[in-house]
Amino acid sequence: MTFGFAPASAAASTSAASANRLLEPAEWAAAGIPLLRNPREVVSGLHARHHPQPATAVIAVLDPDERLRASASFVRRPAPADGWMFRNVLLAQLRRIIPHDLRRRTPVRTAVLLYCREGDARWTEEDGAWMWGLRDACTLHGLRCGAYITLTRDGWQVLGEGRGGRRPHSASEPEPFATSEAPPPLSRTGGAASEVLRRAAAAR
């Protein structure tokens, strides 16, 4: 026997599932997300590399020393914020730019997400959906889930940490690359011994 309310119940179930695909700031803070040692350096480096405009997301993978190993940027399509859909697009970008680490027992590399958007730096449900998507994409790609950073006209903000700054912001010009992305300085040692080593390396 049917009473005609099954479709409404299914719609409510779907709606509830979508609503659960986001993380509140308190949930994010309690998830043990590793803190960036120098968030401004990371933000400045990604901003200089990708110069994101509003509705642009930048996914980046950092090594244990917070050096940038890979990154990609893409524009968010106009659609309701859904953590599952954000997870899928982030995972597709990660698969495109860097091999997975699923064979490791413990993740070594960390993925961080910078999202440039309109509005102020306060948390929104869209941010919560990006957080959910980032955490899930990292799990499926064998990475540690790192910081979620918003970039607005007010500046940048690491959500869940309370750290931020006024520059760069969503309308600022790119700054020079961060020192973490710069090549290592050349050795200053000299003399005959270093010349022999240089020639031996060149001959390999």
Side-chain angles (χ1 to χ4, degrees):
M1 179 184 283
T2 13
F3 294 93
F5 55 75
S9 175
S13 174
T14 303
S15 175
S18 295
N20 288 333
R21 291 197 287 258
L22 61 83
L23 293 175
E24 300 275 352
E27 294 175 297
W28 183 258
I33 305 299
L35 302 180
L36 290 169
R37 290 194 295 270
N38 193 335
R40 188 185 187 283
E41 186 175 284
V42 172
V43 172
S44 296
L46 294 178
H47 184 263
R49 183 177 292 271
H50 295 278
H51 197 197
Q53 302 296 312
T56 302
V58 181
I59 182 74
V61 179
L62 310 178
D63 70 10
D65 295 321
E66 284 191 5
R67 288 190 296 262
L68 180 64
R69 288 305 174 206
S71 64
S73 62
F74 57 94
V75 176
R76 179 193 186 290
R77 293 181 179 177
D82 186 329
W84 183 80
M85 300 207 45
F86 288 170
R87 184 276 306 273
N88 289 345
V89 71
L90 290 172
L91 188 59
Q93 294 293 331
L94 288 171
R95 287 171 173 164
R96 185 174 66 83
I97 62 175
I98 201 162
H100 67 74
D101 277 348
L102 293 172
R103 292 185 180 87
R104 292 182 179 273
R105 291 186 177 180
T106 306
V108 173
R109 297 181 292 192
T110 303
V112 301
L113 180 62
L114 172 72
Y115 183 55
C116 182
R117 61 169 172 76
E118 302 288 359
D120 57 33
R122 288 176 294 184
W123 180 88
T124 66
E125 288 193 357
E126 182 185 25
D127 295 324
W130 279 118
M131 291 170 163
W132 191 96
L134 175 63
R135 186 185 65 176
D136 219 41
C138 287
T139 300
L140 294 173
H141 205 63
L143 302 171
R144 288 201 309 170
C145 179
Y148 173 70
I149 306 157
T150 57
L151 191 70
T152 65
R153 283 190 171 271
D154 295 336
W156 58 272
Q157 178 82 13
V158 184
L159 293 193
E161 294 185 18
R163 293 190 291 173
R166 293 186 178 181
R167 294 190 63 86
H169 54 78
S170 60
S172 62
E173 291 300 316
E175 299 181 5
F177 279 104
T179 54
S180 63
E181 297 183 32
L186 295 173
S187 171
R188 294 186 179 180
T189 57
S194 62
E195 179 64 17
V196 170
L197 291 173
R198 187 188 65 77
R199 288 180 180 175
R204 289 176 184 173

